[in-house]
Each structure stands twice: as structure tokens, then as C-alpha cells.
């Protein structure tokens, strides 16, 4: 494939009479430098990669150079013959025409990669950003790392630290299983068509074991969900509303955990959430 540029993306679209569908989040990346950054951050080193939404195959091209095998899952059947053409020089790429949200990713890893640990890389369509990240993270798949281009605001939320406005349940979920790193901010002008907001490349390296140890993960995430349920309320009020328990009892639990019940949920670290969950388990 030629060096990627806005002109090349427009020429491919013209050649195949392709029109971009906003509803499928089709904002294609036009920067060779950013594509290489995403592929490098995936730390593939000859391993397997699952790509979500290959589009014209510009990222697939960079992944294929570094991987033993790439499986690229694309929902739009108009792109399948185009991908056949743009990726024809590679024999280690398999394109599947499916909706990733209706696909069993664990089965793909078993069938296509013999259950080996893989990387997942994607310039994610905006409309499925949070559901797909949540699904991949929660499924406990055999993944080394997960590199995604997302709206900058989502990347900020995932990497946010306690006490900041962006810190929320999504930050805790991702940081519990992985170490997120903001690789690069990508201005809206580097996509065709141009989206309304800037994006960012986020690399999430999966931890060998979760960031904190808890006996009951469901209780841990219940506490997290409760703590962020009403941002203006104190931690005690949020927990009391979600757990339907007496405030005195919960106040004693927070005391035992060494946490001031008047604090807001968004100031708690993962270790503090874990302490509360342990006492409630
Ligand atoms: N990878 C290309 C790039 O970087 O230029 C295209 C990225 S574009 C933001 C998102 C791609 O995801 C599009 O090709 C779109 O058709 C595809 N897509 C959208 N929804 C999808 C879904 N549910 N499952 C699989 N692919 C999807």
C-alpha cells in the first residue's frame, strides 16, 4: 500500500465509488505517522492481532507488517471487495464481514489464534466506543494489549486519576484490569471526513493480575457503581441509596476502612474501593 495521505484516502473512495456512512462511524485516518504509532503501541512482535473496523485497510496494512496473523472484523459489506484489493499483498490477513458487537471475540481467539494471547487494535467507530471497550475489558480475554483510537474525551476518562473531573466508573474498570497510557492526541483534521472532535490513541496493557485484590469482584464493581451514581452526594449517601442499608451500619464500614463518609466517590482510589468491598463482602 502507498504512503497514507488524505489524497490517497480520497482516491480510494473515488475509485470504488465509496460514500462514507456517518452512522457507522466511518472517519478514516489519513496520517501514516499515527497509523505507525498505533501499530507500534500494540507491541505485536510477530504475534496475532484482532482489528476492529479495518475500513480501507490502512491500519491493517501496518499491523500485517508486524504480525504473524491479523483478523480484521468489518461490518460494512461494501468494504469487503475494497479490502481484498488494498490488502492483496498480504497472506497473513483474514477479513471477516461481521458486526463486532454480535461476535464472540473469545471464539475468534480460540479458532483463529489457537487461544494464544493476542493484541487488539482499532480506530474505533464513535458509536460503539464505550460498549466495545467495556466488553473487551470485562470478558477477561487472553489479550496482551488493547490499542484504540477514541474520542479524546473518552481517553481522558479512561486514564483519569482520583479527584479529577474525568475520573469515573470507566476509569476504575479499565485501571483495575489494565494500565492505560495516552499515546498521542490526534486532531480532527487528520480524518476524512473530518469528525467534530479530536481523538486520542490510548494503549491499555493488561495486568497479569488486577490492580487490587478483592474476594468478590462483583461486590467491588457494585461499590464503584454506587459511589459514582450521584456525583454531588457524599459517599455515604450514594452507598446508602444503592445498597438500601442503614446509614449507621455503612458509616461504621467506612470508619473501619479509614474513609471519611463525607468524601465524594470520585476522590477514592482503587485500593479504597477495594477496602470497602472487602468489608461489605
Ligand atoms: N480502520 C480504518 C481507519 O483507521 O481509517 C477505519 C476506521 S473507522 C473510524 C471505523 C470502521 O469500523 C469503519 O470501517 C466501519 O465500517 C467499521 N465498523 C463500524 N461499526 C462496526 C461494527 N459494529 N463491527 C465492525 N466494524 C464496524
Amino acid at each position: 500500500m502507498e504512503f497514507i495521505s488524505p489524497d490517497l484516502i480520497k482516491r480510494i473512495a473515488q475509485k470504488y465509488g465509496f460514500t462514507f456512512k456517518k452512522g457507522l462511524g466511518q472517519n478514516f485516518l489519513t496520517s501514516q505517522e499515527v497509523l505507525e504509532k498505533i501499530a507500534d503501541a500494540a507491541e505485536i512482535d510477530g504475534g496475532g492481532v484482532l482489528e476492529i473496523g479495518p475500513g480501507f485497510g490502512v491500519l491493517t496494512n501496518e499491523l500485517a507488517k508486524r504480525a504473524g496473523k491479523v483478523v480484521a472484523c468489518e461490518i460494512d459489506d461494501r468494504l469487503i471487495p475494497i479490502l481484498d484489493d488494498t490488502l492483496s499483498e498480504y497472506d497473513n490477513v483474514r477479513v471477516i464481514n461481521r458486526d463486532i458487537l454480535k461476535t464472540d471475540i473469545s471464539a475468534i481467539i480460540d479458532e483463529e489464534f489457537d487461544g494464544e494471547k493476542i493484541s487488539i487494535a482499532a480506530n474505533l467507530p464513535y458509536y460503539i466506543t464505550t460498549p466495545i471497550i467495556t466488553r473487551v475489558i470485562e470478558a477477561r480475554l487472553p489479550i496482551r494489549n488493547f490499542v484504540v483510537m477514541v474520542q479524546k474525551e473518552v481517553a481522558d476518562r479512561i486514564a483519569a486519576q482520583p479527584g479529577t473531573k474525568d475520573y469515573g466508573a470507566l476509569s476504575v474498570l479499565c485501571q483495575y484490569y489494565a494500565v492505560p497510557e495516552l499515546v498521542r492526541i490526534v486532531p480532527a483534521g487528520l480524518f476524512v471526513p473530518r469528525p467534530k472532535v479530536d481523538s486520542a490513541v490510548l494503549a491499555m496493557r493488561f495486568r497479569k493480575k488486577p490492580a487490587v485484590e478483592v474476594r468478590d469482584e462483583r461486590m467491588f464493581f457494585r461499590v464503584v457503581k454506587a459511589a459514582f451514581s450521584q456525583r454531588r452526594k457524599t459517599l455515604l449517601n450514594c452507598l446508602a441509596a444503592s445498597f438500601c442499608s442503614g446509614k449507621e451500619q455503612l458509616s461504621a464500614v467506612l470508619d473501619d476502612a479509614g474513609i471519611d463518609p463525607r468524601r465524594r466517590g470520585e476522590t477514592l482510589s482503587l485500593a479504597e474501593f477495594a477496602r470497602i468491598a472487602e468489608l461489605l463482602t
Side-chain angles (χ1 to χ4, degrees):
M1 200 183 256
E2 284 173 53
F3 194 82
I4 308 305
S5 65
D7 180 56
L8 177 66
I9 297 299
K10 284 175 197 158
R11 273 193 285 127
I12 298 176
Q14 218 164 30
K15 178 175 172 191
Y16 296 95
F18 182 84
T19 48
F20 298 91
K21 277 193 187 163
K22 204 174 163 191
L24 288 179
Q26 290 178 340
N27 303 97
F28 290 3
L29 191 53
T30 63
S31 159
Q32 180 71 35
E33 187 224 324
V34 177
L35 290 162
E36 287 174 16
K37 269 247 153 64
I38 299 175
D40 287 343
E43 295 174 342
I44 300 162
D45 206 14
V49 189
L50 171 66
E51 186 192 357
I52 301 166
F56 287 164
V58 292
L59 176 59
T60 329
N61 176 60
E62 286 306 318
L63 298 171
K65 287 183 203 164
R66 295 160 173 78
K69 180 175 181 180
V70 182
V71 173
C73 176
E74 173 58 60
I75 195 172
D76 189 345
D77 51 12
R78 298 173 306 152
L79 286 166
I80 306 304
I82 302 178
L83 286 162
D84 272 350
D85 237 6
T86 57
L87 298 171
S88 60
E89 68 191 275
Y90 297 105
D91 57 10
N92 61 341
V93 177
R94 199 164 109 71
V95 175
I96 51 176
N97 185 199
R98 277 198 228 157
D99 177 346
I100 192 71
L101 292 177
K102 295 186 183 146
T103 300
D104 180 348
I105 299 178
S106 171
I108 291 196
I109 297 176
D110 278 349
E111 287 157 22
E112 301 282 349
F113 300 101
D114 288 332
E116 297 252 320
K117 274 197 172 182
I118 62 159
S119 298
I120 299 186
N123 171 9
L124 282 179
Y126 287 173
Y127 78 106
I128 58 168
T129 307
T130 315
I132 196 68
I133 290 178
T134 311
R135 265 192 57 192
V136 167
I137 298 265
E138 281 178 343
R140 323 245 353 217
L141 302 165
I143 301 173
R144 271 195 310 268
N145 49 45
F146 183 26
V147 182
V148 279
M149 171 98 74
V150 291
Q151 299 98 301
K152 184 178 171 298
E153 168 253 327
V154 177
D156 287 341
R157 276 168 50 208
I158 292 175
Q161 292 303 304
T164 61
K165 71 171 177 23
D166 292 325
Y167 187 62
L170 186 63
S171 332
V172 177
L173 173 71
C174 293
Q175 293 172 28
Y176 178 76
Y177 291 113
V179 181
E181 184 203 341
L182 204 80
V183 176
R184 190 194 195 283
I185 292 170
V186 184
L190 292 184
F191 297 86
V192 167
R194 184 195 172 107
K196 287 204 179 76
V197 295
D198 290 342
S199 294
V201 177
L202 186 81
M204 286 182 266
R205 279 187 200 87
F206 278 72
R207 300 175 188 274
K208 290 212 168 72
K209 53 184 188 145
V212 287
E213 211 173 304
V214 287
R215 276 173 297 161
D216 182 350
E217 283 187 349
R218 268 187 314 172
M219 176 57 85
F220 174 77
F221 287 111
R222 227 183 121 190
V223 171
V224 172
K225 199 171 160 206
F228 289 111
S229 59
Q230 297 178 69
R231 284 210 167 229
R232 289 210 196 104
K233 289 200 171 170
T234 61
L235 179 61
L236 178 62
N237 282 338
C238 287
L239 293 179
S242 300
F243 282 83
C244 302
S245 300
K247 282 194 188 171
E248 262 175 40
Q249 193 194 346
L250 285 168
S251 194
V253 167
L254 293 175
D255 255 5
D256 283 353
I259 296 166
D260 184 338
R262 291 166 303 179
R263 280 173 64 184
R264 314 267 159 188
E266 62 264 30
T267 66
L268 266 66
S269 65
L270 269 70
E272 289 175 315
F273 283 122
R275 286 215 296 277
I276 301 172
E278 284 304 271
L279 289 164
L280 289 174
T281 295

